[in-house]
Amino acid sequence: MIGHNTLVVLLGCAALGLAAGVVGSFALLRGRALLADAIGHAALPGVVAASLLVAALGGEARALGPLLLGAAVTGWLGLLALRRLTASGRIPPDAGIAVVLSAFYALGTVGLSVAQTLPGAAQAGLTHFILGQAATMTEADALLAGALALGCAGVVALLFQPLRALCFDEGFARAQGLPVRALDLALLGLMLAVCVAGLPAVGLILVVALLVVPAAAARLLAARLPAMLALAGLFGALAGAAGALASTRLPDLPTGAAVVLAGLAIFGAAALAGRRRGRGA
Amino acid sequence: MPDGAPLRTAAAAAPLAVEGLTVRYDGRPALSGVTWRAAPGLTAILGPNGAGKSTLLKAALGLVPAEGEARFFGQPLEAVRARVAYLPQRASVDWSFPASALDVVAMARLPRARWFGALPRREREAARAALAAVGLADLAERQIGRLSGGQQQRVFLARALAQEAELFLMDEPLAAVDAVTEETILAVLHGLVREGKSVLMVHHDLSLVQAHFDHVLILAGRLVAAGPVAEAFTDSAIAAAFGGLPGRGRGA
């Protein structure tokens, strides 16, 4: 038996997985997939700060909206910091990402421990943002995450043509006068939105996998981008729903881990199928 | 052209005119103070590796930061983008990208369509026609990674053709291609010139220059020589650019 609340959470996580697969496909093809890891870790101080702020103002400290807003703000700050770090060219992007994600995560961890010394329930449940806990999501939480995720998928559908041109050949896209900076900014915004929407269910440590694993699996199978997006969305939705279901059945299981393991099972199958296809051709 | 003549008032505006074009990579000059007016027709841009040939094209197109000025048909690029086509080096993209040959060529039609949603059918048909013009009509639906190197190069040429421009900037379209591809590309280039269009092409094989090109621009980090092939494509210019290496003869 699946209760109403469980069903809503399941659908919310499936929508999240779908959007992550679609957005993650472009992130992968643009060579920006690891930015999702920086965003996820950079979100923690934002979540903690937002919860403290809301509690100080006498609000409901566990309301999801302000927490996600805080996550988006520091996630974006993390991206800005990364850009500053790597601007000179002397610090390569991978090292920059390592610096940013560890710095923000450390900051968030310190914030968490400070919050736990304070009276009241401000910090309760915040640790769920680290590894994800879909089972604690309310119906409203799931609807918020799902709506955000579907909005992202809609934006990708609108920007499909110019994003594809940019991912394939940046030089040509720029020579044609496509708004490359704006497109890259839109892609970053989409990644930020999906990462933030995915925090409550998947957690900040593994949210990168939700963007990368379904997209990588689809990349192994698809010969054209529309097929890759469809497959990545499907794989992501399956992984999201499977993870959420596991989390409601086994409440001690971190949802993020369950989602990622489901995604990796799909990836394994795709790798096998892709190898067979490659050999047959 | 007399040095320092204002580019914008040139009588018949050159397809491309650069003035004092300088590019530095990590502070090291890759191209220093190139002032040059391209003539209409087919021009080969020659020079040894690292001479700044590709850099010249990229700097003119605003793809790398540069000092100096580049004007297309007497105007800044923004004003005449639709009249300028670009063919980057084949190795500059990932050919395992999930796209068919037609998908890639159709990218050239994006500026003609609205920015959102699907590409209109007539634009896809124009892309299909460009593929046919390079002899790849039958391979339109094939994933680009499953094409040969020469076929991939022809996909890039088709994409440039589909831009329906008047000036074509091409970065080594003849590098490491098979005989059929070389023949096809040269035929297309001559067809373009017959239609009154201009092609500036980064090129390696000195033996093809006299038979196929009208003009040369010889670079070695700076301008070494430029002009009609008969005047500028001299042994001394080649020696100056290539460091007098023997065996780089001009051929027939």
Side-chain angles (χ1 to χ4, degrees):
Chain A
M1 271 300 288
I2 294 183
H4 176 71
N5 192 65
T6 307
L7 187 66
V8 173
V9 169
L10 211 72
L11 289 176
C13 287
L16 185 70
L18 184 146
V22 170
V23 171
S25 292
F26 280 108
L28 188 84
L29 292 172
R30 187 80 181 111
R32 302 264 160 96
L34 211 48
L35 288 186
D37 209 15
I39 295 170
H41 285 74
L44 185 59
V47 170
V48 175
S51 122
L52 291 176
L53 197 64
V54 169
L57 296 174
E60 167 54 62
R62 297 174 72 167
L64 192 57
L67 299 184
L68 294 192
L69 193 64
V73 169
T74 53
W76 191 253
L77 286 177
L79 289 176
L80 289 181
L82 178 62
R83 210 174 73 168
R84 277 297 286 275
L85 268 178
T86 55
S88 72
R90 268 174 292 180
I91 296 173
D94 58 345
I97 288 172
V99 170
V100 166
L101 74 80
S102 51
F104 277 77
Y105 185 65
L107 199 65
T109 313
V110 169
L112 259 185
S113 65
V114 170
Q116 274 160 1
T117 66
L118 298 178
Q123 81 290 354
L126 287 189
T127 47
H128 285 154
F129 280 79
I130 296 177
L131 288 174
Q133 196 56 279
T136 64
M137 290 172 81
T138 65
E139 187 175 327
D141 295 349
L143 286 176
L144 178 65
L148 200 52
L150 288 182
C152 292
V155 173
V156 166
L158 277 179
L159 294 178
F160 173 77
Q161 296 281 354
L163 276 179
R164 171 166 69 177
L166 171 62
C167 290
F168 175 63
D169 190 346
E170 179 186 348
F172 184 80
R174 285 172 65 193
Q176 271 189 308
L178 289 187
V180 166
R181 276 178 63 99
L183 287 168
D184 269 332
L185 206 63
L187 182 55
L188 274 184
L190 287 167
M191 290 174 68
L192 183 76
V194 170
C195 284
V196 166
L199 286 183
V202 186
L204 64 93
I205 291 184
L206 290 175
V207 76
V208 58
L210 194 59
L211 273 97
V212 174
V213 173
R219 177 90 164 85
L220 294 175
L221 297 177
R224 295 187 60 219
L225 190 51
M228 177 173 166
L229 295 181
L231 281 175
L234 176 69
F235 294 163
L238 284 176
L245 192 62
S247 170
T248 56
R249 289 295 138 98
L250 306 164
D252 289 336
L253 186 71
T255 317
V259 167
V260 170
L261 288 178
L264 285 172
I266 294 169
F267 182 86
L272 280 178
R275 235 176 56 177
R276 186 162 305 156
R277 213 180 66 131
R279 219 185 275 141
Chain B
M1 183 192 80
D3 272 354
L7 299 173
R8 66 202 70 192
T9 59
L16 170 64
V18 295
E19 192 170 297
L21 204 64
T22 297
V23 179
R24 290 185 180 84
Y25 290 134
D26 291 331
R28 281 184 307 110
L31 203 60
S32 303
V34 174
T35 295
W36 174 62
R37 282 168 57 90
L42 191 48
T43 301
I45 302 175
L46 306 168
N49 288 333
K53 307 182 294 291
S54 301
T55 299
L56 178 92
L57 296 188
K58 287 180 189 163
L61 289 167
L63 301 182
V64 294
E67 296 155 39
E69 195 183 17
R71 288 192 161 250
F72 294 83
F73 305 103
Q75 300 186 62
L77 179 61
E78 291 70 42
V80 290
R81 255 188 218 283
R83 296 167 69 185
V84 179
Y86 177 46
L87 189 159
Q89 276 183 25
R90 179 162 66 88
S92 67
V93 302
D94 172 11
W95 289 90
S96 76
F97 193 91
S100 68
L102 185 60
D103 289 336
V104 170
V105 178
M107 289 174 190
R109 308 297 291 188
L110 275 187
R112 295 161 194 272
R114 55 185 203 282
W115 57 269
F116 57 90
L119 203 61
R121 172 184 289 270
R122 66 171 185 283
E123 303 301 343
R124 280 186 85 78
E125 289 313 310
R128 208 178 275 281
L131 267 177
V134 300
L136 291 180
D138 296 340
L139 299 178
E141 316 297 338
R142 183 169 293 188
Q143 199 267 324
I144 50 175
R146 295 180 173 229
L147 298 170
S148 73
Q151 289 165 340
Q152 290 172 350
Q153 192 65 70
R154 280 188 271 159
V155 168
F156 259 19
L157 178 62
R159 186 177 64 169
L161 291 178
Q163 290 184 276
E164 289 184 23
E166 292 158 49
L167 170 66
F168 293 78
L169 306 186
M170 302 190 178
D171 203 345
E172 300 221 51
L174 291 175
V177 296
D178 55 280
V180 177
T181 296
E182 179 175 300
E183 209 172 287
T184 310
I185 292 178
L186 286 170
V188 167
L189 295 185
H190 288 300
L192 288 173
V193 171
R194 271 197 304 277
E195 293 169 21
K197 303 184 172 179
S198 296
V199 180
L200 310 179
M201 191 176 118
V202 173
H203 186 55
H204 254 119
D205 185 355
L206 299 182
S207 71
L208 287 175
V209 171
Q210 281 177 328
H212 291 283
F213 291 86
D214 307 316
H215 305 271
V216 293
L217 166 64
I218 302 177
L219 296 175
R222 61 192 164 77
L223 191 149
V224 173
V229 169
E231 295 166 24
F233 190 57
T234 60
D235 286 331
S236 61
I238 292 164
F242 289 89
L245 295 176
R248 301 295 294 251
R250 289 184 282 153

